[in-house]
Amino acid sequence: MVFNTGSTLLDAIVLAVVSQDEEGTYGYKITQEVRQVLDVSESTLYPVLRRLQKDGSLEAYDMEYAGRNRRYYRITPQGHARLVICKEEWERYAQKITGIFHRSGQEATQKKHVHRDGINPEEPEKGENDSDDEE
């Protein structure tokens, strides 16, 4: 199953990947790392890199590699600040979603324990635990 990934999450993932190397990394390597967690194409990621560069989150520089220039991307201080915010937001979001999934799992488990007659054997019947009535 593939969840739809919005541009904000994709930006955050790209910033996280680029931030892993202080000296920066090149586009193809970024694409390969992002593809480990998302189903995206190179043609999707290069506009993301340009957008992050335009907004000041990334800076680009060219370096020769095997006789050709290769474009590298490095995260800026502004990009680091943005990544910190994204991580904090993601943690809150993930906790909320996980909570919903856990609660839905608990409901399913509770329903499994209900017998055909509609009585849950783990719940005491009315009057069963009323010790005050016996005195």
Side-chain angles (χ1 to χ4, degrees):
M1 179 184 335
V2 177
F3 292 97
N4 187 11
T5 306
S7 63
T8 303
L9 181 57
L10 187 55
D11 289 358
I13 291 168
V14 169
L15 288 172
V17 168
V18 174
S19 73
Q20 294 171 11
D21 190 344
E22 249 182 64
E23 296 301 312
T25 189
Y26 55 97
Y28 180 75
K29 186 175 178 187
I30 295 167
T31 301
Q32 296 309 305
E33 289 196 38
V34 171
R35 281 181 163 172
Q36 290 179 14
V37 294
L38 296 176
D39 185 24
V40 295
S41 65
E42 279 185 63
S43 62
T44 300
L45 285 177
Y46 281 99
V48 172
L49 291 168
R50 283 191 295 277
R51 181 174 63 243
L52 290 170
Q53 186 181 357
K54 185 178 178 183
D55 79 8
S57 296
L58 294 178
E59 60 185 16
Y61 63 95
D62 294 332
M63 186 184 306
E64 189 176 324
Y65 176 80
R68 298 180 57 196
N69 271 348
R70 180 184 274 176
R71 172 130 314 170
Y72 283 78
Y73 298 88
R74 178 174 35 228
I75 193 165
T76 63
Q78 182 178 334
H80 275 292
R82 182 173 175 188
L83 181 57
V84 167
I85 292 167
C86 288
K87 285 179 179 180
E88 291 168 354
E89 288 294 318
W90 174 257
E91 288 297 322
R92 284 192 286 273
Y93 178 75
Q95 286 175 357
K96 289 177 184 179
I97 299 299
T98 300
I100 289 171
F101 286 158
H102 283 299
R103 286 191 299 276
S104 70
Q106 289 171 355
E107 290 172 9
T109 301
Q110 289 171 352
K111 288 178 183 177
K112 284 181 187 177
H113 295 295
V114 175
H115 289 287
R116 278 178 260 177
D117 60 5
I119 298 172
N120 186 339
E122 294 177 8
E123 292 180 14
E125 290 186 31
K126 287 186 178 181
E128 193 175 286
N129 286 340
D130 294 340
S131 57
D132 294 327
D133 293 339
E134 294 177 14
E135 291 180 21

